[in-house]
Coordinates of all heavy atoms in Angstrom, one line a residue:
M1 N 68.1 -58.5 -63.0 CA 67.7 -57.1 -63.4 C 66.2 -56.8 -63.1 O 65.9 -55.8 -62.6 CB 68.0 -56.9 -64.9 CG 68.2 -55.5 -65.3 SD 69.4 -54.6 -64.4 CE 69.3 -53.0 -65.1
S2 N 65.4 -57.8 -63.4 CA 64.0 -57.6 -63.2 C 63.6 -57.6 -61.7 O 62.7 -56.8 -61.3 CB 63.2 -58.7 -64.0 OG 63.5 -59.9 -63.5
I3 N 64.3 -58.4 -61.0 CA 64.1 -58.4 -59.5 C 64.4 -57.1 -58.9 O 63.7 -56.6 -58.0 CB 64.9 -59.6 -58.9 CG1 64.2 -60.9 -59.3 CG2 64.9 -59.5 -57.3 CD1 65.1 -62.2 -59.0
L4 N 65.5 -56.5 -59.3 CA 66.0 -55.2 -58.8 C 65.0 -54.1 -59.1 O 64.7 -53.3 -58.3 CB 67.3 -54.9 -59.5 CG 68.1 -53.8 -58.8 CD1 68.8 -54.3 -57.5 CD2 69.2 -53.2 -59.7
R5 N 64.4 -54.2 -60.3 CA 63.4 -53.3 -60.7 C 62.1 -53.4 -59.8 O 61.6 -52.4 -59.4 CB 62.9 -53.6 -62.2 CG 63.4 -52.5 -63.2 CD 62.8 -52.7 -64.5 NE 63.6 -52.1 -65.5 CZ 63.4 -52.1 -66.8 NH1 62.4 -52.9 -67.3 NH2 64.1 -51.5 -67.7
I6 N 61.7 -54.6 -59.6 CA 60.6 -54.8 -58.7 C 60.8 -54.3 -57.3 O 60.0 -53.6 -56.7 CB 60.2 -56.3 -58.7 CG1 59.6 -56.8 -60.0 CG2 59.2 -56.6 -57.5 CD1 59.6 -58.3 -60.3
I7 N 62.0 -54.6 -56.8 CA 62.4 -54.1 -55.5 C 62.4 -52.5 -55.5 O 61.8 -51.9 -54.5 CB 63.8 -54.6 -55.1 CG1 63.6 -56.1 -54.7 CG2 64.3 -53.8 -53.9 CD1 65.0 -56.8 -54.6
L8 N 62.9 -51.9 -56.5 CA 62.9 -50.5 -56.6 C 61.5 -49.9 -56.7 O 61.2 -48.9 -56.1 CB 63.7 -50.1 -57.9 CG 65.2 -49.8 -57.7 CD1 65.9 -49.6 -59.0 CD2 65.5 -48.7 -56.7
L9 N 60.7 -50.6 -57.5 CA 59.3 -50.1 -57.6 C 58.5 -50.2 -56.3 O 57.8 -49.3 -55.9 CB 58.5 -51.1 -58.6 CG 58.4 -50.5 -60.0 CD1 57.9 -51.5 -61.0 CD2 57.4 -49.3 -60.0
I10 N 58.8 -51.3 -55.5 CA 58.1 -51.5 -54.2 C 58.6 -50.4 -53.3 O 57.9 -49.8 -52.5 CB 58.4 -52.9 -53.7 CG1 57.6 -53.9 -54.5 CG2 58.1 -53.0 -52.2 CD1 58.0 -55.4 -54.3
L11 N 60.0 -50.1 -53.3 CA 60.6 -49.1 -52.5 C 60.0 -47.7 -52.8 O 59.7 -47.0 -51.9 CB 62.1 -49.2 -52.7 CG 62.9 -48.6 -51.5 CD1 62.9 -49.6 -50.4 CD2 64.3 -48.3 -52.0
A12 N 59.9 -47.5 -54.1 CA 59.4 -46.2 -54.5 C 57.9 -46.0 -54.1 O 57.5 -44.9 -53.6 CB 59.5 -46.0 -56.0
G13 N 57.2 -47.1 -54.3 CA 55.8 -47.1 -53.9 C 55.6 -46.9 -52.4 O 54.8 -46.1 -51.9
W14 N 56.5 -47.5 -51.6 CA 56.4 -47.4 -50.1 C 56.8 -46.0 -49.7 O 56.1 -45.4 -48.8 CB 57.4 -48.4 -49.5 CG 57.5 -48.4 -48.0 CD1 56.6 -48.9 -47.2 CD2 58.5 -47.7 -47.2 NE1 56.9 -48.7 -45.9 CE2 58.1 -47.9 -45.9 CE3 59.6 -47.0 -47.5 CZ2 58.8 -47.5 -44.8 CZ3 60.4 -46.5 -46.4 CH2 60.0 -46.8 -45.1
I15 N 57.8 -45.4 -50.3 CA 58.2 -44.0 -50.0 C 57.1 -43.1 -50.3 O 56.7 -42.2 -49.6 CB 59.5 -43.7 -50.7 CG1 60.7 -44.4 -50.1 CG2 59.8 -42.2 -50.7 CD1 62.0 -44.4 -50.9
L16 N 56.5 -43.3 -51.5 CA 55.4 -42.4 -52.0 C 54.2 -42.5 -51.0 O 53.6 -41.5 -50.6 CB 54.9 -42.9 -53.4 CG 54.4 -41.8 -54.3 CD1 55.5 -41.0 -54.8 CD2 53.5 -42.4 -55.4
W17 N 53.9 -43.7 -50.5 CA 52.8 -44.0 -49.6 C 53.1 -43.3 -48.3 O 52.2 -42.6 -47.7 CB 52.6 -45.5 -49.4 CG 51.6 -45.8 -48.4 CD1 50.2 -45.7 -48.6 CD2 51.8 -46.3 -47.1 NE1 49.6 -46.1 -47.5 CE2 50.5 -46.5 -46.5 CE3 52.9 -46.6 -46.4 CZ2 50.3 -47.0 -45.3 CZ3 52.8 -47.1 -45.1 CH2 51.5 -47.3 -44.5
R18 N 54.4 -43.4 -47.8 CA 54.7 -42.7 -46.5 C 54.6 -41.2 -46.6 O 54.0 -40.6 -45.7 CB 56.2 -43.1 -46.2 CG 56.4 -44.5 -45.6 CD 55.8 -44.6 -44.3 NE 56.3 -43.7 -43.3 CZ 57.1 -44.1 -42.3 NH1 57.6 -45.3 -42.2 NH2 57.5 -43.2 -41.4
F19 N 55.1 -40.7 -47.8 CA 55.0 -39.2 -47.9 C 53.6 -38.7 -48.0 O 53.2 -37.7 -47.4 CB 55.8 -38.8 -49.2 CG 57.2 -38.5 -48.9 CD1 58.2 -39.4 -49.2 CD2 57.6 -37.3 -48.3 CE1 59.6 -39.1 -48.9 CE2 58.9 -37.0 -48.0 CZ 59.9 -37.9 -48.3
T20 N 52.8 -39.5 -48.7 CA 51.3 -39.1 -48.8 C 50.7 -39.1 -47.5 O 49.9 -38.2 -47.1 CB 50.6 -40.1 -49.8 OG1 51.4 -40.2 -51.0 CG2 49.2 -39.6 -50.2
K21 N 51.0 -40.1 -46.7 CA 50.4 -40.3 -45.3 C 50.8 -39.1 -44.5 O 50.0 -38.5 -43.8 CB 50.9 -41.6 -44.7 CG 49.9 -42.2 -43.7 CD 50.5 -43.5 -43.1 CE 49.7 -43.8 -41.9 NZ 50.4 -45.0 -41.2
I22 N 52.1 -38.8 -44.5 CA 52.6 -37.6 -43.7 C 52.0 -36.3 -44.1 O 51.5 -35.5 -43.3 CB 54.2 -37.6 -43.8 CG1 54.8 -38.7 -43.0 CG2 54.7 -36.2 -43.3 CD1 56.3 -39.0 -43.3
W23 N 51.9 -36.1 -45.5 CA 51.3 -34.9 -46.0 C 49.9 -34.8 -45.6 O 49.4 -33.8 -45.2 CB 51.5 -35.0 -47.5 CG 50.7 -33.8 -48.2 CD1 51.2 -32.6 -48.4 CD2 49.4 -33.9 -48.8 NE1 50.2 -31.8 -49.0 CE2 49.1 -32.6 -49.3 CE3 48.5 -34.9 -49.0 CZ2 47.9 -32.3 -50.0 CZ3 47.3 -34.6 -49.6 CH2 47.0 -33.4 -50.1
Y24 N 49.1 -36.0 -45.7 CA 47.7 -36.0 -45.3 C 47.5 -35.6 -43.9 O 46.6 -34.8 -43.5 CB 47.2 -37.4 -45.6 CG 45.7 -37.5 -45.4 CD1 44.7 -36.8 -46.1 CD2 45.2 -38.3 -44.3 CE1 43.4 -36.9 -45.9 CE2 43.9 -38.4 -44.1 CZ 43.0 -37.7 -44.8 OH 41.6 -37.8 -44.6
Q25 N 48.4 -36.2 -43.0 CA 48.3 -35.9 -41.6 C 48.6 -34.5 -41.3 O 47.9 -33.8 -40.5 CB 49.3 -36.8 -40.8 CG 48.7 -38.2 -40.5 CD 49.7 -39.1 -39.9 OE1 50.9 -38.9 -39.9 NE2 49.2 -40.2 -39.3
N26 N 49.6 -33.9 -42.0 CA 49.9 -32.5 -41.8 C 48.8 -31.6 -42.2 O 48.5 -30.6 -41.5 CB 51.1 -32.1 -42.6 CG 52.4 -32.5 -41.9 OD1 52.4 -32.9 -40.8 ND2 53.5 -32.4 -42.6
T27 N 48.1 -31.9 -43.3 CA 47.0 -31.0 -43.8 C 45.9 -31.2 -42.8 O 45.2 -30.2 -42.5 CB 46.6 -31.4 -45.2 OG1 46.6 -32.8 -45.4 CG2 47.4 -30.7 -46.3
L28 N 45.6 -32.4 -42.3 CA 44.6 -32.6 -41.3 C 44.8 -31.7 -40.1 O 43.9 -31.1 -39.6 CB 44.5 -34.0 -41.0 CG 43.4 -34.9 -41.7 CD1 43.4 -36.3 -41.1 CD2 42.0 -34.3 -41.5
Q29 N 46.1 -31.8 -39.6 CA 46.4 -31.1 -38.4 C 46.3 -29.6 -38.6 O 45.8 -28.9 -37.7 CB 47.9 -31.4 -38.0 CG 48.0 -32.7 -37.1 CD 49.4 -33.1 -36.8 OE1 50.3 -32.5 -37.3 NE2 49.5 -34.0 -35.9
R30 N 46.7 -29.1 -39.8 CA 46.6 -27.7 -40.1 C 45.2 -27.3 -40.1 O 44.8 -26.2 -39.6 CB 47.3 -27.4 -41.4 CG 48.6 -26.6 -41.2 CD 49.2 -26.3 -42.6 NE 50.3 -27.2 -42.8 CZ 50.8 -27.4 -44.1 NH1 50.3 -26.8 -45.1 NH2 51.8 -28.2 -44.2
Q31 N 44.3 -28.1 -40.7 CA 42.9 -27.8 -40.8 C 42.3 -27.7 -39.4 O 41.6 -26.8 -39.1 CB 42.2 -28.8 -41.6 CG 41.8 -28.4 -43.0 CD 41.0 -29.4 -43.7 OE1 40.8 -30.5 -43.2 NE2 40.6 -29.1 -44.9
Q32 N 42.6 -28.7 -38.5 CA 42.1 -28.7 -37.2 C 42.6 -27.5 -36.4 O 41.8 -26.9 -35.6 CB 42.6 -30.0 -36.5 CG 41.7 -31.2 -36.9 CD 42.2 -32.5 -36.3 OE1 43.4 -32.6 -35.9 NE2 41.4 -33.5 -36.4
K33 N 43.9 -27.1 -36.6 CA 44.4 -25.9 -35.9 C 43.7 -24.7 -36.3 O 43.3 -23.8 -35.5 CB 45.9 -25.8 -36.3 CG 46.8 -25.5 -35.1 CD 48.2 -25.3 -35.5 CE 49.1 -25.1 -34.4 NZ 50.5 -24.8 -34.8
K34 N 43.4 -24.5 -37.7 CA 42.7 -23.4 -38.2 C 41.3 -23.3 -37.6 O 40.9 -22.2 -37.2 CB 42.6 -23.5 -39.7 CG 43.7 -22.7 -40.4 CD 43.5 -22.7 -41.9 CE 44.7 -22.3 -42.7 NZ 44.5 -22.4 -44.2
E35 N 40.6 -24.5 -37.6 CA 39.3 -24.5 -37.0 C 39.3 -24.1 -35.6 O 38.4 -23.4 -35.1 CB 38.7 -25.9 -37.2 CG 38.1 -26.1 -38.6 CD 37.8 -27.5 -38.9 OE1 37.7 -28.3 -38.0 OE2 37.7 -27.9 -40.1
K36 N 40.3 -24.6 -34.8 CA 40.4 -24.3 -33.4 C 40.6 -22.8 -33.2 O 40.0 -22.2 -32.3 CB 41.5 -25.1 -32.8 CG 41.1 -26.3 -32.0 CD 42.3 -26.9 -31.3 CE 41.9 -28.3 -30.8 NZ 43.1 -28.9 -30.2
E37 N 41.5 -22.2 -34.0 CA 41.8 -20.8 -33.9 C 40.6 -20.0 -34.2 O 40.4 -19.0 -33.6 CB 43.0 -20.5 -34.8 CG 44.4 -20.8 -34.1 CD 45.5 -20.6 -35.1 OE1 45.3 -20.4 -36.3 OE2 46.7 -20.8 -34.6
A38 N 39.9 -20.4 -35.3 CA 38.7 -19.6 -35.7 C 37.7 -19.7 -34.6 O 37.0 -18.7 -34.3 CB 38.2 -20.2 -37.0
A39 N 37.5 -20.8 -34.0 CA 36.5 -21.0 -32.9 C 36.9 -20.2 -31.7 O 36.0 -19.7 -31.0 CB 36.4 -22.5 -32.6
L40 N 38.2 -20.1 -31.4 CA 38.7 -19.4 -30.3 C 38.6 -17.9 -30.5 O 38.3 -17.1 -29.6 CB 40.1 -19.8 -29.9 CG 40.3 -21.0 -29.1 CD1 41.8 -21.4 -29.1 CD2 39.8 -20.9 -27.7
S41 N 38.9 -17.4 -31.7 CA 39.0 -16.0 -31.9 C 37.7 -15.3 -32.2 O 37.5 -14.2 -31.9 CB 40.0 -15.7 -33.1 OG 39.5 -16.2 -34.3
S42 N 36.8 -16.0 -32.9 CA 35.5 -15.4 -33.3 C 34.6 -15.0 -32.1 O 34.1 -13.9 -32.2 CB 34.8 -16.3 -34.3 OG 34.5 -17.5 -33.7
P43 N 34.4 -15.8 -31.0 CA 33.6 -15.3 -30.0 C 34.1 -14.1 -29.2 O 33.4 -13.2 -28.9 CB 33.4 -16.5 -29.0 CG 34.3 -17.5 -29.6 CD 35.0 -17.1 -30.8
S44 N 35.5 -14.0 -29.0 CA 36.1 -12.9 -28.3 C 36.0 -11.6 -29.2 O 35.8 -10.6 -28.6 CB 37.5 -13.2 -28.0 OG 38.3 -13.4 -29.2
K45 N 36.1 -11.8 -30.5 CA 36.0 -10.6 -31.4 C 34.6 -10.1 -31.3 O 34.4 -8.9 -31.2 CB 36.2 -11.1 -32.8 CG 37.5 -10.5 -33.4 CD 37.5 -10.8 -34.9 CE 38.8 -10.3 -35.5 NZ 39.0 -10.7 -36.9
K46 N 33.6 -11.0 -31.3 CA 32.2 -10.5 -31.2 C 31.9 -9.8 -29.9 O 31.3 -8.8 -29.8 CB 31.2 -11.7 -31.3 CG 30.9 -12.0 -32.7 CD 29.9 -13.2 -32.8 CE 29.7 -13.7 -34.2 NZ 29.0 -15.0 -34.2
Q47 N 32.5 -10.3 -28.8 CA 32.3 -9.7 -27.5 C 32.9 -8.3 -27.5 O 32.3 -7.4 -27.0 CB 33.0 -10.6 -26.4 CG 32.1 -11.4 -25.6 CD 32.8 -12.2 -24.5 OE1 34.0 -12.1 -24.4 NE2 32.0 -12.9 -23.8
Q48 N 34.1 -8.2 -28.1 CA 34.8 -6.9 -28.1 C 34.0 -5.9 -28.9 O 33.8 -4.8 -28.5 CB 36.2 -7.0 -28.7 CG 37.3 -7.1 -27.7 CD 38.6 -7.1 -28.4 OE1 38.7 -7.2 -29.6 NE2 39.7 -7.0 -27.6
E49 N 33.5 -6.3 -30.0 CA 32.7 -5.4 -30.9 C 31.4 -5.0 -30.2 O 31.1 -3.8 -30.3 CB 32.4 -6.1 -32.2 CG 33.5 -6.0 -33.2 CD 33.3 -7.0 -34.4 OE1 32.2 -7.5 -34.5 OE2 34.3 -7.2 -35.1
S50 N 30.8 -5.9 -29.5 CA 29.5 -5.5 -28.9 C 29.7 -4.7 -27.7 O 28.8 -3.9 -27.3 CB 28.7 -6.8 -28.6 OG 29.4 -7.5 -27.6
A51 N 30.9 -4.7 -27.0 CA 31.1 -4.0 -25.8 C 31.7 -2.6 -26.0 O 32.0 -1.9 -25.1 CB 32.0 -4.8 -24.9
M52 N 31.9 -2.2 -27.3 CA 32.5 -0.9 -27.6 C 31.5 0.2 -27.3 O 30.3 0.1 -27.8 CB 33.0 -0.9 -29.0 CG 34.2 -1.7 -29.3 SD 35.7 -1.3 -28.3 CE 36.4 0.0 -29.3
V53 N 31.9 1.2 -26.6 CA 31.0 2.4 -26.4 C 31.8 3.7 -26.8 O 33.0 3.6 -26.9 CB 30.6 2.5 -24.9 CG1 29.7 1.3 -24.6 CG2 31.8 2.5 -24.0
Q54 N 31.1 4.8 -26.9 CA 31.7 6.0 -27.3 C 31.6 7.0 -26.2 O 30.6 7.1 -25.5 CB 31.0 6.6 -28.5 CG 31.7 7.7 -29.2 CD 31.0 8.2 -30.5 OE1 29.8 7.9 -30.7 NE2 31.7 8.9 -31.3
C55 N 32.7 7.7 -26.0 CA 32.8 8.8 -24.9 C 31.8 9.9 -25.4 O 31.9 10.4 -26.5 CB 34.2 9.3 -24.7 SG 34.3 10.7 -23.6
H56 N 30.9 10.3 -24.5 CA 30.0 11.4 -24.8 C 30.6 12.7 -25.0 O 30.1 13.6 -25.7 CB 28.9 11.5 -23.7 CG 27.8 12.4 -24.0 ND1 27.6 13.6 -23.4 CD2 26.7 12.2 -24.9 CE1 26.5 14.2 -23.9 NE2 26.0 13.3 -24.8
Y57 N 31.8 12.9 -24.4 CA 32.5 14.2 -24.4 C 33.4 14.3 -25.6 O 33.3 15.3 -26.4 CB 33.3 14.4 -23.1 CG 34.0 15.8 -23.1 CD1 33.2 16.9 -22.9 CD2 35.3 15.9 -23.2 CE1 33.8 18.2 -22.8 CE2 36.0 17.1 -23.1 CZ 35.2 18.3 -22.9 OH 35.8 19.5 -22.9
C58 N 34.3 13.4 -25.8 CA 35.3 13.5 -26.9 C 35.1 12.6 -28.0 O 35.8 12.7 -29.1 CB 36.8 13.3 -26.3 SG 37.1 11.6 -25.8
G59 N 34.2 11.6 -27.9 CA 33.8 10.7 -29.0 C 34.7 9.6 -29.2 O 34.7 8.8 -30.2
L60 N 35.6 9.3 -28.2 CA 36.6 8.2 -28.3 C 35.8 6.9 -28.1 O 34.9 6.8 -27.2 CB 37.6 8.4 -27.2 CG 38.8 7.4 -27.2 CD1 39.8 7.8 -28.2 CD2 39.4 7.3 -25.8
Y61 N 36.2 5.9 -28.9 CA 35.6 4.5 -28.7 C 36.5 3.7 -27.8 O 37.7 3.7 -27.9 CB 35.5 3.8 -30.1 CG 34.3 4.3 -30.9 CD1 34.5 5.3 -31.8 CD2 33.0 3.8 -30.6 CE1 33.4 5.7 -32.6 CE2 31.9 4.2 -31.4 CZ 32.1 5.2 -32.3 OH 31.0 5.6 -33.1
L62 N 35.9 3.0 -26.8 CA 36.6 2.2 -25.9 C 35.7 1.1 -25.4 O 34.5 1.1 -25.5 CB 37.1 3.1 -24.7 CG 36.1 3.7 -23.7 CD1 36.7 3.9 -22.4 CD2 35.5 4.9 -24.3
P63 N 36.3 0.0 -24.8 CA 35.5 -1.1 -24.3 C 34.7 -0.7 -23.1 O 35.1 0.2 -22.4 CB 36.6 -2.1 -23.8 CG 37.9 -1.7 -24.5 CD 37.8 -0.3 -24.8
E64 N 33.5 -1.2 -23.1 CA 32.5 -0.8 -22.1 C 33.0 -0.9 -20.7 O 32.7 -0.1 -19.8 CB 31.2 -1.6 -22.2 CG 30.1 -1.0 -21.5 CD 28.7 -1.7 -21.7 OE1 28.7 -2.7 -22.4 OE2 27.7 -1.2 -21.2
E65 N 33.8 -2.0 -20.4 CA 34.3 -2.2 -19.0 C 35.3 -1.2 -18.6 O 35.6 -1.0 -17.4 CB 34.8 -3.7 -18.9 CG 36.0 -4.0 -19.8 CD 35.5 -4.7 -21.0 OE1 34.3 -4.6 -21.4 OE2 36.3 -5.5 -21.6
E66 N 35.9 -0.5 -19.6 CA 36.9 0.6 -19.3 C 36.3 1.9 -19.2 O 36.9 2.9 -18.7 CB 38.0 0.6 -20.3 CG 39.0 -0.6 -20.2 CD 40.0 -0.6 -21.3 OE1 40.4 0.5 -21.8 OE2 40.4 -1.7 -21.8
A67 N 35.0 2.1 -19.6 CA 34.4 3.4 -19.6 C 33.8 3.7 -18.2 O 33.4 2.8 -17.5 CB 33.3 3.4 -20.7
S68 N 33.7 5.0 -18.0 CA 33.0 5.5 -16.8 C 31.5 5.7 -17.2 O 31.3 6.4 -18.3 CB 33.6 6.8 -16.3 OG 34.9 6.7 -16.0
K69 N 30.6 5.2 -16.4 CA 29.2 5.3 -16.8 C 28.5 6.4 -16.0 O 28.8 6.6 -14.8 CB 28.5 3.9 -16.5 CG 28.2 3.1 -17.7 CD 27.4 1.9 -17.3 CE 27.3 0.9 -18.4 NZ 26.6 -0.3 -17.9
E70 N 27.6 7.1 -16.7 CA 26.7 8.1 -16.0 C 25.3 7.8 -16.6 O 25.0 8.4 -17.6 CB 27.2 9.5 -16.3 CG 26.5 10.6 -15.5 CD 26.6 10.4 -14.0 OE1 27.7 10.2 -13.5 OE2 25.6 10.6 -13.3
G71 N 24.6 6.9 -15.9 CA 23.3 6.5 -16.5 C 23.5 5.7 -17.7 O 24.2 4.7 -17.7
K72 N 23.0 6.1 -18.9 CA 23.2 5.5 -20.1 C 24.3 6.0 -20.9 O 24.7 5.5 -22.0 CB 21.9 5.6 -21.0 CG 20.8 4.5 -20.5 CD 19.6 4.6 -21.5 CE 18.6 3.6 -21.1 NZ 17.4 3.7 -21.9
I73 N 24.9 7.1 -20.4 CA 26.0 7.8 -21.1 C 27.4 7.3 -20.6 O 27.6 7.1 -19.4 CB 25.9 9.4 -20.9 CG1 24.5 9.9 -21.4 CG2 27.0 10.1 -21.6 CD1 24.2 11.2 -20.9
H74 N 28.3 7.1 -21.6 CA 29.6 6.6 -21.3 C 30.7 7.7 -21.5 O 30.5 8.5 -22.3 CB 30.0 5.4 -22.2 CG 29.1 4.2 -21.9 ND1 27.9 4.0 -22.6 CD2 29.1 3.2 -21.1 CE1 27.3 2.9 -22.2 NE2 28.0 2.4 -21.3
Y75 N 31.7 7.6 -20.7 CA 32.9 8.5 -20.8 C 34.2 7.7 -20.8 O 34.2 6.7 -20.1 CB 32.9 9.5 -19.7 CG 31.7 10.4 -19.7 CD1 30.6 10.2 -18.9 CD2 31.6 11.5 -20.5 CE1 29.4 11.0 -18.9 CE2 30.5 12.4 -20.6 CZ 29.4 12.1 -19.7 OH 28.3 12.9 -19.8
C76 N 35.2 8.2 -21.4 CA 36.5 7.5 -21.5 C 37.3 7.6 -20.2 O 38.1 6.8 -19.9 CB 37.3 8.0 -22.7 SG 37.9 9.7 -22.5
C77 N 37.0 8.7 -19.4 CA 37.7 8.9 -18.2 C 36.9 9.7 -17.2 O 35.9 10.3 -17.6 CB 39.1 9.5 -18.4 SG 39.0 11.1 -19.3
E78 N 37.3 9.7 -16.0 CA 36.6 10.5 -14.9 C 36.6 12.0 -15.3 O 35.6 12.7 -15.0 CB 37.2 10.2 -13.6 CG 36.9 8.8 -13.0 CD 35.4 8.6 -12.7 OE1 34.8 9.5 -12.2 OE2 34.9 7.5 -13.0
A79 N 37.7 12.5 -15.8 CA 37.8 13.9 -16.1 C 36.8 14.4 -17.1 O 36.1 15.4 -16.9 CB 39.2 14.2 -16.7
H80 N 36.6 13.6 -18.2 CA 35.5 13.9 -19.2 C 34.1 13.8 -18.6 O 33.3 14.6 -19.0 CB 35.7 13.0 -20.4 CG 36.8 13.4 -21.3 ND1 37.2 12.7 -22.4 CD2 37.7 14.5 -21.2 CE1 38.2 13.4 -23.0 NE2 38.5 14.4 -22.3
K81 N 34.0 12.9 -17.7 CA 32.7 12.7 -17.1 C 32.3 14.0 -16.2 O 31.2 14.5 -16.3 CB 32.7 11.5 -16.1 CG 31.4 11.1 -15.5 CD 31.6 9.7 -14.8 CE 30.6 9.5 -13.7 NZ 31.0 8.3 -12.9
N82 N 33.4 14.5 -15.5 CA 33.2 15.7 -14.7 C 33.0 16.9 -15.5 O 32.2 17.8 -15.2 CB 34.4 15.8 -13.7 CG 34.5 14.7 -12.7 OD1 33.4 14.1 -12.4 ND2 35.7 14.3 -12.3
V83 N 33.8 17.0 -16.6 CA 33.7 18.2 -17.5 C 32.3 18.3 -18.2 O 31.8 19.4 -18.3 CB 34.8 18.2 -18.5 CG1 34.6 19.3 -19.6 CG2 36.2 18.4 -17.9
D84 N 31.8 17.2 -18.6 CA 30.6 17.2 -19.4 C 29.3 17.5 -18.5 O 28.3 17.8 -19.0 CB 30.4 15.8 -20.1 CG 29.5 15.9 -21.3 OD1 29.7 16.9 -22.1 OD2 28.7 15.0 -21.5
Q85 N 29.4 17.3 -17.2 CA 28.2 17.5 -16.4 C 27.9 18.9 -16.0 O 28.8 19.8 -16.0 CB 28.4 16.7 -15.1 CG 28.0 15.3 -15.3 CD 28.4 14.4 -14.1 OE1 29.1 14.8 -13.2 NE2 27.9 13.2 -14.0
Ligands
ZN101 ZN1 36.5 11.3 -23.5

């Protein structure tokens, strides 16, 4: 009876250790994933925010690379650029 108890205790301890190890690895992987995602998403967000310009004619906000430029003034499309001049 006592030997059975010891075996059960060892088995329970082994299972507990395995689960703890798996859980620890999972949390580590999740943390690394989160850090990677944060590192990937934050610079692109900053770029987008800094590149936003406003159309001089209608006031629409759009990325700078999509805007039509007339000197320092930006427009959302060629039509607004032509109308405003
Ligand atoms: Zn416009």
Side-chain angles (χ1 to χ4, degrees):
M1 202 55 182
S2 61
I3 288 165
L4 199 75
R5 250 189 202 176
I6 287 162
I7 287 165
L8 271 171
L9 259 170
I10 288 165
L11 204 75
W14 180 78
I15 287 164
L16 211 78
W17 177 74
R18 282 293 300 254
F19 270 102
T20 311
K21 206 180 165 189
I22 288 162
W23 172 81
Y24 182 70
Q25 278 176 343
N26 277 352
T27 37
L28 260 184
Q29 275 179 347
R30 248 181 260 162
Q31 254 182 1
Q32 281 173 343
K33 226 184 181 182
K34 264 188 194 172
E35 278 167 18
K36 262 188 192 174
E37 277 172 356
L40 277 172
S41 64
S42 57
S44 61
K45 245 187 185 176
K46 271 183 191 168
Q47 257 183 358
Q48 260 186 351
E49 278 167 12
S50 65
M52 288 301 270
V53 292
Q54 193 177 15
C55 173
H56 188 253
Y57 183 72
C58 68
L60 186 85
Y61 282 96
L62 68 157
E64 195 176 2
E65 59 264 25
E66 285 176 35
S68 302
K69 255 189 192 174
E70 185 64 45
K72 280 184 180 178
I73 300 161
H74 296 91
Y75 296 98
C76 67
C77 56
E78 287 295 317
H80 282 177
K81 189 173 154 186
N82 294 332
V83 170
D84 205 42
Q85 274 173 348

